[in-house]
Amino acid sequence: RTGFKNGALRRDRHAWLDEHYPTWNESLDDAWDQSARDSADFYEREERHPSTKSKNPGEKESGEWLSAQRTALKDGTLRSDRRAWLDEHYPDWNETLDDVWYRNARDAVDFYEREERHPSTNSKNLDEKDLGVWLGRQRTLLKNGTLRPDRQAWLDENYPTWSETLDDLWNQNARDAAD
């Protein structure tokens, strides 16, 4: 970039950079602005944060960019104007994994209280299906002994039937029918 700004970058190198790295000459602020818009647009469109583990290159790039912003915030190196932009345009951009876990837990409790049943992993409703998958994952973690004790305690207190499996429900229904 310095060579280009000073007029010292050879034409062949300029052409190579243009071909292989189309955004090489953007200012860092322009690149940040574009990445911020891309990540915020993804969140608005998909109603979730982009994943750093996605197989979709665009989502993965946005997820890695967002992770870098969270790290910069934690390290105290995120510029205040950038934080202000994120706070205004990208709700929950800096939520932690614990924040996400507790949000899902509260959503599962709300679903159970509203529907009087557990969310289904087979539902055509994607929100219910996501909750069903999340709840199944918590049951698997419990079964494997890897569910954090504080999370198990929260679920036990706020959603007493959360750990029931389909077999448990079937057996209970069979006992109720026999009585």
Side-chain angles (χ1 to χ4, degrees):
R1 289 186 180 140
T2 302
F4 175 73
K5 287 179 185 175
N6 295 337
L9 184 63
R10 292 185 351 211
R11 286 184 190 193
D12 62 322
R13 291 182 177 172
H14 186 275
W16 188 91
L17 287 168
D18 284 345
E19 180 181 344
H20 293 91
Y21 300 101
T23 61
W24 74 272
N25 199 23
E26 287 182 2
S27 78
L28 294 178
D29 282 339
D30 290 345
W32 190 94
D33 292 346
Q34 185 61 52
S35 294
R37 283 191 302 276
D38 290 347
S39 292
D41 289 347
F42 180 93
Y43 182 82
E44 185 175 325
R45 184 178 62 252
E46 302 295 329
E47 298 180 354
R48 65 179 176 81
H49 296 296
S51 171
T52 58
K53 294 178 171 49
S54 176
K55 291 185 172 145
N56 176 297
E59 178 181 353
K60 183 175 182 171
E61 184 177 326
S62 286
E64 290 170 348
W65 178 87
L66 182 59
S67 179
Q69 303 319 299
R70 291 175 179 148
T71 299
L73 176 66
K74 191 185 320 179
D75 294 345
T77 58
L78 183 64
R79 289 183 0 204
S80 60
D81 60 320
R82 291 179 173 178
R83 171 148 193 198
W85 190 96
L86 287 166
D87 289 343
E88 180 179 345
H89 295 96
Y90 193 160
D92 305 324
W93 71 274
N94 64 345
E95 84 182 338
T96 66
L97 292 177
D98 272 346
D99 294 335
V100 172
W101 190 92
Y102 283 105
R103 180 172 32 87
N104 285 329
R106 285 188 301 273
D107 289 349
V109 169
D110 291 345
F111 181 92
Y112 185 79
E113 289 174 350
R114 184 178 63 251
E115 302 295 328
E116 298 180 355
R117 63 179 176 81
H118 298 297
S120 171
T121 58
N122 298 319
S123 177
K124 290 186 184 343
N125 177 297
L126 293 180
D127 290 335
E128 178 182 350
K129 184 176 184 171
D130 288 346
L131 282 177
V133 169
W134 179 86
L135 188 58
R137 177 75 179 130
Q138 304 318 300
R139 290 175 180 145
T140 300
L141 292 170
L142 176 66
K143 181 180 173 184
N144 294 341
T146 56
L147 181 62
R148 284 183 12 199
D150 60 315
R151 291 178 175 182
Q152 181 179 349
W154 192 97
L155 286 168
D156 289 344
E157 180 178 333
N158 295 282
Y159 190 172
T161 62
W162 76 273
S163 61
E164 291 178 343
T165 65
L166 290 177
D167 284 342
D168 295 334
L169 294 173
W170 191 93
N171 291 332
Q172 181 61 48
N173 288 336
R175 282 190 300 274
D176 291 348
D179 292 339

